[in-house]
Amino acid sequence: MLHHASKRLARAGFEVLGGWLSPGGPARGPAQAPPPAQGPLSEAFRLHTAALACEGDELVSASRWEATLGRAASPGEVVAALRAALNAEFQGASWVADVRIFVACLGEEVKQYQRITTGEKQGLVVVPRPDEDDQLEKTSSLMYVADPPLDRLTLLSDCKLRAAMNAGDRAFIIQSTTESLAQFLLEPSQEAKAEFAADFARLAPTPEGAWPSKKLMQRLATVQDNRYPAVLVATGAMSPAHRGHVLMMWEAKARLERCGYAVVGAWLSPGGAAAAAAHAQATGGPQLSWAFRHIAAELSVCDDDFVAVRSVEPPEPGGAAASAQELCREVQQYLSERFSASFEGQMVRVFLVCGTDVAEKSGLYSGVLPHRELGVVIVPREDEEPRLEVPSQLVYVADPIPGDACAFSSSRVRAAIREGSVAAASQEMAPAAARYVLAPTPAERREMSADYEALAVKSMGREELDQSMAKLKETLRAWAGPQGCVRQADLARLLHFIDPSWTEKEMNALMGSAKISPDGTLVTDEFIDWIFNHCQA
């Protein structure tokens, strides 16, 4: 706002020397007050964020005077204090007497700031929003009207920024603030958290709903204004999820991006109990619990920066056209309400992603609800000939999933498990999901005993453990070299590569218990002996 005011004054023949943001003191007035449930932010916090907002700006600085006054100050008092400060700072300078001070304000605030005594030395610059009524200039009274900004920043407000913080709308914060201010708000240091504990508590995001948004926010923050935002959702029994589910989303994303969309998010939505029961009846397979299928799906995307997984069990099964509509509308409504700041002024398009069999069975080639910005992307197999896409109905056909992955299915995974072909099953699943499904820890097996029994996942006997231990030792010796030693950090990276679901806390606990030499290395044979002996015990 200050830069737009500066441009207007420059066109009027003034030389603008500087500008200040002046965060108000307590009880600034009901117009600026936050909702009662949120409570006011402290003067210190508002002053600190104002300073970060000005960081690196050649024109604008933040003033401490009003915020630290201890009471509410009128606009006239602020102007008088600034003039007194200039006179004191540049005492004796001839140019100080000629300085004019202008207050910059929005069009809606004109009446409030017109109370400031205007005249030869003080004036007003109105920076209207594009949708505000035209303001008339009164240059004889030093009242000027700047051109309204035409970018998305015109929609900014303190309340909207706070609402975005409470919603966890990281993308809006990043796009609407300076880099240093965004980092302070979103990733504060421990010192900042301690100093401004009450303020950060008031700005803390509310708990997320069914659609985790961390990956969405990372992509949404980089979307260009000329790109139309879209998200994807896929549903099904996912008993269990396999790599084909994830690759399908990436193919759908590629198709929509060729059409000019900015695809910012995607979710796998494992169906509820009814969907799992219908799938089990149709395929003759076991009915797995939603909790088990959800964990396997989450582990399938733990190292994927695009696809996430629905976090609560859906009330209805997926598959039917009506359910597809309900699912897409649920996602759309959630995004529109939760992230209203980022999606303001535009309806995010939601596309159901499915195969040709689901599209045919559910009549999705005619669309989902195109008039509500809901569409479908069909991902065929390589040997299929899908119908033509209908862009006017938001019906698109993606390229097939390349290679053998197009044939992956949950039925094939279950069959491989029954046949004892662990290698074949693991090739069709993401590493972390394969580890969870095929080689559960004792705790995991106890927690999901019914699911593991239904899948016929066998526990390893003593002989199998000994064979695995010998094979693993041989593999690690070849990797470690003649000395048989590896650096702790290298081993940690290897384990994380094998299973990306390792958390930093888990890795630290493992390495903290392992026998590590002072130089940070460990003997691979000793490490394997320790791991397997602990497992058997």
Side-chain angles (χ1 to χ4, degrees):
M1 183 173 69
L2 289 175
H3 277 277
H4 278 274
S6 174
K7 292 176 182 177
R8 177 63 191 97
L9 292 176
R11 292 199 303 273
F14 292 94
E15 181 181 356
V16 180
L17 304 177
W20 286 270
L21 295 180
S22 180
R28 181 66 185 266
Q32 287 79 27
Q38 292 182 2
L41 298 174
S42 68
E43 284 78 14
F45 184 88
R46 292 184 290 110
L47 183 58
H48 184 72
T49 52
L52 290 175
C54 301
E55 199 169 81
D57 195 290
E58 296 181 354
L59 174 70
V60 185
S61 303
S63 167
R64 300 179 56 85
W65 182 83
E66 186 179 1
T68 57
L69 190 60
R71 61 174 177 81
S74 68
E77 286 183 280
V78 177
V79 171
L82 174 56
R83 187 169 297 283
L86 292 173
N87 290 335
E89 179 72 18
F90 303 102
Q91 189 174 13
S94 59
W95 57 270
V96 175
D98 296 324
V99 168
R100 292 166 173 78
I101 296 177
F102 288 88
V103 173
C105 69
L106 298 172
E108 64 202 42
E109 300 171 326
V110 169
K111 291 183 179 179
Q112 175 186 356
Y113 289 109
Q114 276 182 333
R115 300 192 190 102
I116 301 174
T117 303
T118 59
E120 183 182 356
K121 302 298 184 183
Q122 293 167 196
L124 193 67
V125 184
V126 181
V127 185
R129 301 185 191 274
D131 57 348
E132 289 180 345
D133 295 335
D134 292 339
Q135 299 282 341
L136 295 178
E137 289 193 333
K138 300 177 183 177
T139 56
S140 60
S141 301
L142 291 185
M143 178 178 171
Y144 295 88
V145 179
D147 294 332
L150 299 178
D151 55 29
R152 63 183 300 173
L153 295 182
T154 60
L155 303 175
L156 276 179
S157 70
D158 295 4
C159 290
K160 188 173 295 184
L161 205 57
R162 287 191 66 166
M165 286 288 295
N166 292 137
D169 194 342
R170 296 175 61 92
F172 184 77
I173 304 298
I174 292 171
Q175 293 173 332
S176 305
T177 60
T178 61
E179 183 177 350
S180 55
L181 177 52
Q183 184 174 358
F184 172 76
L185 293 174
L186 299 175
E187 299 175 3
S189 64
Q190 292 300 323
E191 293 78 7
K193 288 180 181 179
E195 183 178 357
F196 302 110
D199 299 291
F200 281 117
R202 293 188 176 102
L203 295 174
T206 56
E208 280 198 311
W211 309 99
S213 60
K214 182 178 179 179
K215 298 176 183 180
L216 167 76
M217 287 292 108
Q218 291 172 342
R219 291 181 175 271
L220 191 58
T222 62
V223 172
Q224 300 174 359
D225 289 339
N226 63 342
R227 304 272 285 180
Y228 202 99
V231 299
L232 311 175
V233 61
T235 188
M238 302 183 191
S239 299
H242 52 80
R243 289 200 292 130
H245 288 118
V246 180
L247 294 173
M248 180 174 67
M249 307 299 271
W250 281 92
E251 290 297 335
K253 174 179 180 291
R255 178 67 193 100
L256 292 179
E257 288 183 340
R258 291 197 297 271
C259 297
Y261 288 95
V263 184
V264 294
W267 291 272
L268 299 179
S269 178
H279 178 79
Q281 184 176 6
T283 62
Q287 180 178 344
L288 303 178
S289 69
W290 185 85
F292 182 87
R293 292 180 289 115
H294 173 255
I295 293 173
E298 281 200 320
L299 292 173
S300 297
V301 299
C302 65
D303 61 339
D304 190 291
D305 65 355
F306 173 53
V307 185
V309 178
R310 181 192 182 113
S311 60
V312 297
E313 184 174 1
E316 297 292 337
S323 296
Q325 294 176 5
E326 293 167 5
L327 180 64
C328 292
R329 290 180 67 176
E330 179 188 342
V331 175
Q332 187 180 64
Q333 182 177 357
Y334 177 82
L335 295 178
S336 299
E337 293 177 357
R338 175 97 186 188
F339 307 116
S340 57
S342 279
F343 292 114
E344 185 171 21
Q346 52 187 339
M347 181 74 79
V348 59
R349 285 186 176 171
V350 180
F351 288 89
L352 180 75
V353 180
C354 65
T356 55
D357 52 344
V358 173
E360 290 284 1
K361 180 180 178 181
S362 303
L364 295 176
Y365 276 103
S366 59
V368 180
L369 284 177
H371 63 284
R372 292 289 303 272
E373 307 293 348
L374 307 179
V376 61
V377 182
I378 298 153
V379 185
R381 299 182 187 275
E382 285 189 333
D383 57 348
E384 294 177 334
E385 293 186 7
R387 298 193 209 174
L388 296 177
E389 59 184 25
V390 189
S392 61
Q393 295 296 107
L394 299 184
V395 177
Y396 295 91
V397 177
D399 293 336
I401 298 172
D404 296 337
C406 67
F408 290 170
S409 71
S410 299
S411 297
R412 284 183 26 150
V413 172
R414 295 195 303 271
I417 295 173
R418 285 196 306 270
E419 296 166 2
S421 181
V422 175
S426 65
Q427 288 176 355
E428 300 200 7
M429 303 180 72
R435 200 284 311 154
Y436 176 77
V437 172
L438 303 172
T441 65
E444 291 167 343
R445 186 178 287 276
R446 286 193 300 270
E447 184 181 13
M448 301 290 179
S449 58
D451 297 285
Y452 286 114
E453 289 175 8
L455 286 172
V457 176
K458 300 179 178 64
S459 298
M460 295 181 73
R462 181 60 182 265
E463 185 177 348
E464 290 175 300
L465 279 172
D466 289 342
Q467 291 174 354
S468 295
M469 182 168 65
K471 186 175 181 180
L472 189 53
K473 281 184 177 181
E474 182 181 350
T475 303
L476 287 178
R477 285 193 202 109
W479 178 56
Q483 301 297 323
C485 294
V486 296
R487 292 172 57 241
Q488 173 190 350
D490 291 336
L491 182 60
R493 280 194 289 270
L494 174 65
L495 293 174
H496 191 267
F497 177 80
I498 294 172
D499 183 352
S501 67
W502 277 98
T503 65
E504 184 178 358
K505 182 179 180 180
E506 291 170 338
M507 191 67 72
N508 289 339
L510 175 68
M511 294 302 173
S513 302
K515 183 180 178 181
I516 300 173
S517 62
D519 63 353
T521 63
L522 46 78
V523 179
T524 57
D525 279 10
E526 291 180 356
F527 181 74
I528 297 303
D529 285 335
W530 170 67
I531 288 289
F532 276 77
N533 289 333
H534 181 75
C535 175
Q536 291 177 20

